[in-house]
Amino acid sequence: MKMISLLGSTGSIGVNTLDIVRRNPDRFAVATMATGSDVELFAQQVKEFKPALISVFNPSKLAELKELLKGEDVEILSGEAGTVKVASHPDVSLVVSAIVGSAGLVPSLAAIQSGKDLALANKETLVVAGELVLREARGKVNLIPIDSEHSAILQALNGEKQERIKKIILTGSGGPFRTFSREQMENVTVKEALNHPNWSMGAKITIDSATMMNKGLEWIEAKWLFGLDTCVEIIVHPQSIIHSMIEFVDTSIMAQLGIPDMRVPIAYAMTYPDRIKCDFPSLDLAAMKQLTFEEPDYEKFPCIKLAQEALQTGQTMPAVLNAANEVAVQAFLDEAIPFQGIAEAIRTTMHNHKCHAIDSLEDVQNADRWAREEAKKLITVTH
Ligand code: NDP
Ligand code: MG
C-alpha cells in the first residue's frame, strides 16, 4: 500500500489524483491532504478518503472546515506551516504536488527534504528554483513529472542515457488562439481564453496555455528535468495526441501518444517505474485520421521567448518571470488588463529587475515578492 500526501486536492490535478486512488484502493491510500480555500469540496474528500492529517492554507477557512468535519477522526492544521506538515508526515512515501503557482515551492521542498518521492504537477516549483530543488532531490528521492509532456519524455526515454538524446521535441496544442490574427487577439475575452480546445484544467494554467507561457514554463521544466544542455524544441500539435518526443543521436524518434486525459500521466507518476491497468478509453487512430504539426508563432505568443530568455539569464530571472506571470494572469482574469497586457507586464517587470544569484530559498522568495509588487505597480499605473 502506497501512502500518498496530496497537495492541492481540490484542484483539477488533485481531483484526478483522487480518482486514481478511488479506482485502486488496494494500491493507494491518502495519508494526508492539503488545499487552498475550497473547504466544502475538501471536507467531502476528507470524508471519502479518511486521511489522518489535513491542512487548509487560508486560515480564515479553518473554523468552517472544523465545523464541516465535526466528529471525523482527523487532525486539522492551516497556513503554509500546515501544508509543510502534510507534505512531510512520517507515514507518507509519495507526495503529489498539485498546488498552483510558486506557492507550491516550500511544501515541495519540504517533501524532498523529508525523503519523500515527489510526483510533480506544480511546474512553477522547477521554474522558480530548479537548481535548489534538484540539489536537494538528486540521488535522494525520485522526482517524477506529472506534466503530460514531461511524462511523455520520461516514458520515451525509458532508461536510455541522457547523452543519447539529440533533442527533446516538446509538443503543445497552441491553445484557443492558435488560428487567431493579431488583431483578433487584441479583444479576446476571459471566457474565450478559458476555453481550451483539448484539456480541462485550472484557470491559471488554462490562461498560460492561451498565451503559450505554459510552453515556455514547460521548456524550463524540461531543461531542469532532462539536462540544461539538452536541446528542447517546441512544436505545435493541435490534436494533443502526441504528448512529446525524443530524437536520439541516431535520428530515431520515440513518441508517447494517448488521449488527452491527465489521469494517464498521474497514474504513471504514482506507480513509476511500474504501470497499472486503467480502463480509460483507448486512442482510436483511424477515427483521428490525421495528426498535424506546425511551428509556433513566436511573435503572436511572445511569452515563449520571455521564458526562454529568463532561463538563459538565469539567477533570479525565472522566479521574476513566474511571479509577474502569476500577477498578470490574475489581473487578466479579473478583467483589469487585456490579454496582450499579460506579456507586456512580464516583459517590463523582467526589464526592471536587477538579477542576482540564488543561494537559498530566501533569495527565491525575495525575488518572487519583488516581482509581484513590481508587476502590480505596473498594472495599476498603465490600466
Ligand atoms: P487548480 O487551480 O485547479 O488547483 C490548484 C490547487 O491548489 C487547488 O486545490 C487549490 O486549493 C490549491 N492551492 C492554491 N493555493 C494554495 C496554497 N497556497 N496552499 C495550498 N493549496 C493551494 O490547478 P491545476 O490542478 O490545474 O494545476 C495545479 C498545478 O499542476 C499547476 O502548477 C499546473 O501548472 C500543473 N498542471 C496542471 C495540469 C492540468 O491538467 N490541470 C496539467 C499539467 C500541469 P483551492 O481550490 O481550495 O483554492
Ligand atoms: Mg503540460
Side-chain angles (χ1 to χ4, degrees):
M1 182 68 74
K2 204 178 256 186
M3 301 299 279
I4 308 279
S5 170
L6 176 55
L7 314 178
S9 64
T10 54
S12 164
I13 294 288
V15 166
N16 279 316
T17 303
L18 290 176
D19 190 55
I20 301 292
V21 175
R22 188 182 291 118
R23 288 161 180 263
N24 297 279
D26 50 329
R27 281 185 174 257
F28 304 113
V30 181
T32 66
M33 266 162 68
T35 194
S37 318
D38 182 356
V39 289
E40 275 188 24
L41 176 56
F42 195 44
Q44 283 173 30
Q45 294 175 332
V46 171
K47 286 179 185 165
E48 180 180 353
F49 292 94
K50 309 267 177 222
L53 171 72
I54 60 169
S55 184
V56 56
F57 176 74
N58 185 343
S60 72
K61 294 281 182 173
L62 182 61
E64 192 183 340
L65 180 63
K66 284 187 170 164
E67 185 58 34
L68 286 165
L69 291 173
K70 222 188 232 165
E72 292 287 321
D73 183 18
V74 57
E75 186 184 350
I76 308 177
L77 304 173
S78 82
E80 188 174 71
T83 321
V84 164
K85 284 226 163 112
V86 161
S88 47
H89 190 277
D91 289 351
V92 168
S93 61
L94 177 77
V95 175
V96 177
S97 176
I99 292 174
V100 60
S102 62
L105 173 62
V106 169
S108 299
L109 267 177
I112 293 170
Q113 283 161 349
S114 42
K116 319 293 185 197
D117 286 338
L118 188 66
L120 188 68
N122 177 236
K123 63 191 88 184
E124 295 91 342
T125 280
L126 282 178
V127 170
V128 304
E131 197 172 349
L132 272 187
V133 170
L134 287 178
R135 202 190 298 155
E136 295 286 341
R138 206 171 273 137
K140 294 179 207 140
V141 300
N142 282 319
L143 180 58
I144 316 138
I146 283 180
D147 215 348
S148 57
E149 294 76 3
H150 305 75
S151 175
I153 297 161
L154 183 67
Q155 293 177 61
L157 199 54
N158 193 26
E160 289 254 17
K161 292 198 179 85
Q162 201 188 327
E163 61 258 32
R164 296 197 186 134
I165 303 177
K166 183 173 175 190
K167 67 178 174 209
I168 287 171
I169 305 168
L170 192 68
T171 56
S173 69
F177 306 135
R178 182 178 60 88
T179 58
F180 276 41
S181 68
R182 293 247 219 134
E183 295 68 46
Q184 281 176 300
M185 281 175 67
E186 266 163 37
N187 300 311
V188 298
T189 62
V190 171
K191 194 168 161 227
E192 286 173 302
L194 283 174
N195 186 24
H196 194 281
N198 305 336
W199 297 97
S200 159
M201 312 178 283
K204 191 262 180 183
I205 182 174
T206 305
I207 302 303
D208 284 349
S209 300
T211 61
M212 289 197 75
M213 175 57 94
N214 187 46
K215 226 28 72 181
L217 300 180
E218 290 181 352
W219 187 87
I220 299 177
E221 185 186 8
K223 288 274 192 178
W224 285 118
L225 286 171
F226 303 105
L228 283 179
D229 295 336
T230 311
C231 172
V232 182
E233 186 183 286
I234 297 171
I235 186 128
V236 172
H237 165 47
Q239 298 82 17
S240 298
I241 295 297
I242 296 184
H243 298 305
S244 277
M245 299 173 252
I246 297 179
E247 182 178 342
F248 291 101
V249 286
D250 60 0
T251 71
S252 172
I253 295 179
M254 291 290 282
Q256 187 262 340
L257 287 75
I259 50 162
D261 183 337
M262 282 310 293
R263 291 175 304 176
V264 179
I266 293 170
Y268 186 69
M270 288 169 75
T271 56
Y272 174 85
D274 201 358
R275 287 182 190 271
I276 45 168
K277 191 164 172 280
C278 297
D279 52 1
F280 308 143
S282 286
L283 173 60
D284 182 347
L285 279 170
M288 275 308 298
K289 291 210 168 31
Q290 32 175 334
L291 302 179
T292 61
F293 305 93
E294 56 196 67
E295 282 284 328
D297 185 335
Y298 290 102
E299 297 205 347
K300 212 166 79 181
F301 298 104
C303 286
I304 306 175
K305 290 270 184 223
L306 289 174
Q308 293 175 329
E309 278 164 33
L311 185 68
Q312 270 138 21
T313 306
Q315 300 190 318
T316 42
M317 200 55 102
V320 166
L321 165 100
N322 178 72
N325 182 52
E326 287 189 33
V327 169
V329 167
Q330 192 54 53
F332 171 70
L333 286 169
D334 296 340
E335 298 184 343
I337 59 170
F339 185 72
Q340 280 156 324
I342 299 175
E344 212 175 280
I346 300 164
R347 183 182 292 110
T348 314
T349 307
M350 284 171 68
H351 177 80
N352 294 350
H353 180 59
K354 289 189 185 61
C355 245
H356 53 86
I358 289 178
D359 295 317
S360 64
L361 175 63
E362 211 188 354
D363 292 330
V364 180
Q365 289 172 319
N366 287 339
D368 178 280
R369 206 172 303 119
W370 176 87
R372 279 172 201 275
E373 280 165 20
E374 184 71 11
K376 278 184 195 152
K377 237 188 305 174
L378 290 168
I379 285 167
T380 327
V381 170
T382 51
H383 295 279

Short mmCIF file of all heavy atoms in Angstrom, two decimals, residues 1-25:
data_model
loop_
_atom_site.label_atom_id
_atom_site.label_comp_id
_atom_site.label_asym_id
_atom_site.label_seq_id
_atom_site.Cartn_x
_atom_site.Cartn_y
_atom_site.Cartn_z
N MET A 1 0.85 -1.21 0.00
CA MET A 1 0.00 0.00 0.00
C MET A 1 0.88 1.25 0.00
O MET A 1 1.71 1.42 0.89
CB MET A 1 -0.88 -0.02 1.26
CG MET A 1 -1.85 1.12 1.38
SD MET A 1 -3.16 1.10 0.15
CE MET A 1 -4.20 -0.24 0.73
N LYS A 2 0.71 2.09 -1.02
CA LYS A 2 1.49 3.33 -1.07
C LYS A 2 0.70 4.43 -0.38
O LYS A 2 -0.45 4.70 -0.73
CB LYS A 2 1.76 3.69 -2.54
CG LYS A 2 2.98 4.56 -2.72
CD LYS A 2 3.24 4.84 -4.18
CE LYS A 2 4.39 4.04 -4.75
NZ LYS A 2 4.74 4.41 -6.12
N MET A 3 1.34 5.07 0.60
CA MET A 3 0.67 6.14 1.36
C MET A 3 1.00 7.48 0.70
O MET A 3 2.17 7.87 0.60
CB MET A 3 1.14 6.13 2.82
CG MET A 3 0.86 4.82 3.54
SD MET A 3 -0.92 4.45 3.62
CE MET A 3 -1.39 5.47 4.99
N ILE A 4 -0.06 8.16 0.28
CA ILE A 4 0.08 9.39 -0.52
C ILE A 4 -0.21 10.62 0.32
O ILE A 4 -1.11 10.63 1.16
CB ILE A 4 -0.97 9.38 -1.68
CG1 ILE A 4 -0.91 8.09 -2.48
CG2 ILE A 4 -0.87 10.61 -2.55
CD1 ILE A 4 0.15 8.01 -3.50
N SER A 5 0.56 11.68 0.03
CA SER A 5 0.19 13.01 0.51
C SER A 5 -0.23 13.80 -0.73
O SER A 5 0.52 13.85 -1.71
CB SER A 5 1.40 13.68 1.17
OG SER A 5 1.10 15.03 1.41
N LEU A 6 -1.40 14.40 -0.69
CA LEU A 6 -1.90 15.13 -1.87
C LEU A 6 -2.01 16.62 -1.54
O LEU A 6 -2.84 17.03 -0.72
CB LEU A 6 -3.26 14.55 -2.30
CG LEU A 6 -3.95 15.26 -3.47
CD1 LEU A 6 -3.06 15.36 -4.70
CD2 LEU A 6 -5.26 14.55 -3.82
N LEU A 7 -1.17 17.41 -2.21
CA LEU A 7 -1.18 18.87 -2.01
C LEU A 7 -1.97 19.49 -3.16
O LEU A 7 -1.60 19.32 -4.32
CB LEU A 7 0.25 19.42 -2.01
CG LEU A 7 1.28 18.66 -1.17
CD1 LEU A 7 2.67 19.32 -1.31
CD2 LEU A 7 0.86 18.63 0.30
N GLY A 8 -3.05 20.21 -2.83
CA GLY A 8 -3.90 20.80 -3.87
C GLY A 8 -4.99 19.83 -4.29
O GLY A 8 -5.28 19.67 -5.48
N SER A 9 -5.62 19.17 -3.30
CA SER A 9 -6.57 18.09 -3.60
C SER A 9 -7.84 18.57 -4.30
O SER A 9 -8.48 17.80 -5.02
CB SER A 9 -6.96 17.36 -2.32
OG SER A 9 -7.65 18.22 -1.45
N THR A 10 -8.21 19.84 -4.11
CA THR A 10 -9.47 20.32 -4.67
C THR A 10 -9.33 20.84 -6.10
O THR A 10 -10.31 21.22 -6.73
CB THR A 10 -10.06 21.45 -3.80
OG1 THR A 10 -9.04 22.46 -3.66
CG2 THR A 10 -10.47 20.95 -2.43
N GLY A 11 -8.11 20.87 -6.62
CA GLY A 11 -7.89 21.38 -7.97
C GLY A 11 -8.09 20.29 -9.02
O GLY A 11 -8.45 19.15 -8.71
N SER A 12 -7.84 20.67 -10.27
CA SER A 12 -8.04 19.76 -11.39
C SER A 12 -7.13 18.52 -11.27
O SER A 12 -7.60 17.38 -11.40
CB SER A 12 -7.78 20.56 -12.67
OG SER A 12 -7.60 19.73 -13.75
N ILE A 13 -5.86 18.71 -11.00
CA ILE A 13 -4.94 17.57 -10.84
C ILE A 13 -5.30 16.81 -9.57
O ILE A 13 -5.29 15.56 -9.55
CB ILE A 13 -3.48 18.06 -10.79
CG1 ILE A 13 -3.06 18.65 -12.14
CG2 ILE A 13 -2.53 16.92 -10.37
CD1 ILE A 13 -2.85 17.68 -13.26
N GLY A 14 -5.63 17.54 -8.50
CA GLY A 14 -5.98 16.89 -7.23
C GLY A 14 -7.16 15.95 -7.39
O GLY A 14 -7.12 14.79 -6.95
N VAL A 15 -8.21 16.41 -8.04
CA VAL A 15 -9.42 15.60 -8.22
C VAL A 15 -9.11 14.36 -9.09
O VAL A 15 -9.57 13.26 -8.79
CB VAL A 15 -10.54 16.48 -8.84
CG1 VAL A 15 -11.68 15.64 -9.37
CG2 VAL A 15 -11.04 17.49 -7.80
N ASN A 16 -8.29 14.55 -10.13
CA ASN A 16 -7.90 13.41 -10.97
C ASN A 16 -7.02 12.41 -10.20
O ASN A 16 -7.11 11.20 -10.43
CB ASN A 16 -7.16 13.90 -12.22
CG ASN A 16 -8.12 14.38 -13.29
OD1 ASN A 16 -9.13 13.75 -13.56
ND2 ASN A 16 -7.82 15.52 -13.89
N THR A 17 -6.19 12.92 -9.31
CA THR A 17 -5.34 12.03 -8.49
C THR A 17 -6.23 11.17 -7.59
O THR A 17 -6.02 9.97 -7.45
CB THR A 17 -4.35 12.87 -7.65
OG1 THR A 17 -3.59 13.68 -8.53
CG2 THR A 17 -3.42 11.98 -6.84
N LEU A 18 -7.23 11.81 -6.99
CA LEU A 18 -8.13 11.06 -6.10
C LEU A 18 -8.92 10.01 -6.90
O LEU A 18 -9.24 8.94 -6.37
CB LEU A 18 -9.08 12.02 -5.36
CG LEU A 18 -8.38 12.88 -4.30
CD1 LEU A 18 -9.37 13.88 -3.68
CD2 LEU A 18 -7.74 12.03 -3.20
N ASP A 19 -9.18 10.30 -8.16
CA ASP A 19 -9.88 9.30 -8.99
C ASP A 19 -9.01 8.05 -9.16
O ASP A 19 -9.52 6.93 -9.14
CB ASP A 19 -10.24 9.91 -10.35
CG ASP A 19 -11.18 8.99 -11.12
OD1 ASP A 19 -12.24 8.64 -10.56
OD2 ASP A 19 -10.84 8.60 -12.25
N ILE A 20 -7.71 8.25 -9.32
CA ILE A 20 -6.79 7.09 -9.44
C ILE A 20 -6.78 6.30 -8.13
O ILE A 20 -6.81 5.07 -8.14
CB ILE A 20 -5.35 7.57 -9.79
CG1 ILE A 20 -5.33 8.34 -11.12
CG2 ILE A 20 -4.38 6.39 -9.82
CD1 ILE A 20 -5.62 7.53 -12.35
N VAL A 21 -6.77 7.02 -7.00
CA VAL A 21 -6.79 6.33 -5.68
C VAL A 21 -8.09 5.54 -5.55
O VAL A 21 -8.09 4.37 -5.16
CB VAL A 21 -6.65 7.35 -4.53
CG1 VAL A 21 -6.78 6.67 -3.18
CG2 VAL A 21 -5.30 8.08 -4.62
N ARG A 22 -9.20 6.20 -5.91
CA ARG A 22 -10.53 5.57 -5.78
C ARG A 22 -10.61 4.27 -6.60
O ARG A 22 -11.20 3.29 -6.16
CB ARG A 22 -11.59 6.58 -6.26
CG ARG A 22 -13.01 6.14 -6.00
CD ARG A 22 -14.00 7.16 -6.55
NE ARG A 22 -14.00 8.42 -5.83
CZ ARG A 22 -13.68 9.60 -6.37
NH1 ARG A 22 -13.30 9.70 -7.64
NH2 ARG A 22 -13.72 10.70 -5.64
N ARG A 23 -10.00 4.27 -7.78
CA ARG A 23 -10.04 3.10 -8.66
C ARG A 23 -9.05 2.02 -8.23
O ARG A 23 -9.08 0.91 -8.75
CB ARG A 23 -9.67 3.51 -10.10
CG ARG A 23 -10.74 4.31 -10.80
CD ARG A 23 -10.11 5.05 -11.99
NE ARG A 23 -11.10 5.83 -12.71
CZ ARG A 23 -11.72 5.41 -13.81
NH1 ARG A 23 -11.45 4.24 -14.33
NH2 ARG A 23 -12.60 6.18 -14.41
N ASN A 24 -8.13 2.35 -7.34
CA ASN A 24 -7.09 1.38 -6.94
C ASN A 24 -6.93 1.33 -5.42
O ASN A 24 -5.85 1.58 -4.89
CB ASN A 24 -5.74 1.78 -7.58
CG ASN A 24 -5.80 1.72 -9.09
OD1 ASN A 24 -5.67 0.66 -9.69
ND2 ASN A 24 -6.05 2.87 -9.71
N PRO A 25 -8.02 0.97 -4.71
CA PRO A 25 -7.97 1.02 -3.24
C PRO A 25 -7.00 0.02 -2.63
O PRO A 25 -6.59 0.17 -1.49
CB PRO A 25 -9.42 0.70 -2.83
CG PRO A 25 -10.02 0.00 -4.01
CD PRO A 25 -9.32 0.50 -5.22
#
